[in-house]
C-alpha cells in the first residue's frame, strides 16, 4: 500500500506528536515526497492549546519552522484512517486500536529508531528543556526510517 497520509499521535498533542509532525513534514519536503502529515492526541485535555513552548524552542533551535497550531483530539478527527498511524507509546497505540485504527497501519514511532532499547518515546512534559532535546533526538532518528518506509511503499 502506498503511504500518502500519516498521523502522529501522543497524549495531548502539545509535545511529542507535533514535534513528529514538524520533523516529518520537513523530511518529506527535503525528499521531494508529497505526504500529508497531521498530529493529534488521545486525550482531549489540551485541545486548543498551542505547542508547548519548550517543544517549540527545541524545534526552532534546530532550524525547524514551528507552525502556529493548536492541539487536536484524535476523537474529533479521522486520523485513525491515515495510511500510517504513528503512536508515541504502546498506551497510545492501544487507545488508537480501541478507536478503530487498523492494527496493520498503526505502528510505534520507536519501531523506526535504529538501535532503540525501548518501545515508548518518553513524555518530556514533566521534565526540563533537556527532555525536549532528547525527545527531538528520537523523533529525528525515527524520521529518517519513516521517510524510507514511505519511499519503499510507492
Amino acid at each position: 500500500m502506498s503511504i500518502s497520509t500519516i498521523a502522529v499521535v501522543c497524549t495531548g498533542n502539545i509535545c511529542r506528536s507535533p514535534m513528529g509532525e514538524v520533523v516529518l513534514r520537513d523530511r518529506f519536503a527535503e525528499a521531494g515526497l508529497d505526504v500529508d502529515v497531521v498530529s493529534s492526541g488521545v486525550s482531549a485535555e489540551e485541545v486548543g492549546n498551542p505547542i508547548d513552548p519548550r517543544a517549540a524552542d527545541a524545534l526552532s533551535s534546530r532550524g525547524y519552522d514551528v507552525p502556529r497550531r493548536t492541539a487536536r483530539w484524535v476523537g474529533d478527527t479521522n486520523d485513525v484512517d491515515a495510511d500510517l498511524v504513528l503512536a508515541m507509546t504502546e498506551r497510545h497505540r492501544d487507545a488508537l486500536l480501541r478507536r478503530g485504527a487498523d492494527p496493520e497501519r498503526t505502528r510505534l514511532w520507536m519501531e523506526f529508531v535504529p538501535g532503540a532499547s525501548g518501545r515508548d518515546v518518553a513524555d518530556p512534559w514533566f521534565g526540563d528543556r533537556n527532555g525536549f532535546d532528547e525527545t527531538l533526538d528520537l523523533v529525528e532518528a525515527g524520521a529518517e526510517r519513516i521517510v524510507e518506509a514511505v519511499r519503499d511503499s510507492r
Side-chain angles (χ1 to χ4, degrees):
M1 167 188 13
S2 179
I3 299 171
S4 62
T5 60
I6 295 178
V8 186
V9 181
C10 69
T11 303
N13 192 224
I14 60 169
C15 300
R16 293 169 285 184
S17 59
M19 292 171 90
E21 177 184 352
V22 167
V23 170
L24 282 179
R25 283 184 178 168
D26 184 78
R27 295 296 193 276
F28 286 128
E30 286 177 2
L33 295 170
D34 184 24
V35 179
D36 183 31
V37 182
V38 296
S39 67
S40 55
V42 296
S43 168
E45 67 188 295
E46 297 288 352
V47 168
N49 289 333
I51 189 171
D52 185 289
R54 298 166 293 177
D57 186 52
L59 287 163
S60 65
S61 72
R62 295 199 193 172
Y64 295 100
D65 289 328
V66 181
R68 288 189 169 278
R69 62 172 310 283
T70 58
R72 301 165 65 237
W73 177 49
V74 73
D76 288 338
T77 72
N78 63 352
D79 291 355
V80 296
D81 296 327
D83 297 325
L84 178 61
V85 182
L86 295 167
M88 289 294 177
T89 69
E90 288 183 300
R91 187 178 68 80
H92 300 141
R93 184 177 190 277
D94 292 345
L96 290 162
L97 295 176
R98 285 192 301 275
R99 291 189 192 282
D102 181 342
E104 297 297 315
R105 292 182 287 130
T106 306
R107 310 269 304 272
L108 294 171
W109 189 279
M110 292 297 284
E111 292 177 41
F112 295 93
V113 176
S117 59
R119 299 195 36 90
D120 294 349
V121 176
D123 191 348
W125 191 85
F126 298 100
D128 61 17
R129 171 65 166 64
N130 291 334
F132 288 82
D133 287 324
E134 292 168 9
T135 296
L136 188 51
D137 290 342
L138 292 173
V139 166
E140 289 178 329
E144 300 306 319
R145 292 252 174 102
I146 294 165
V147 169
E148 289 173 19
V150 168
R151 189 177 287 120
D152 292 347
S153 79
R154 296 184 170 196

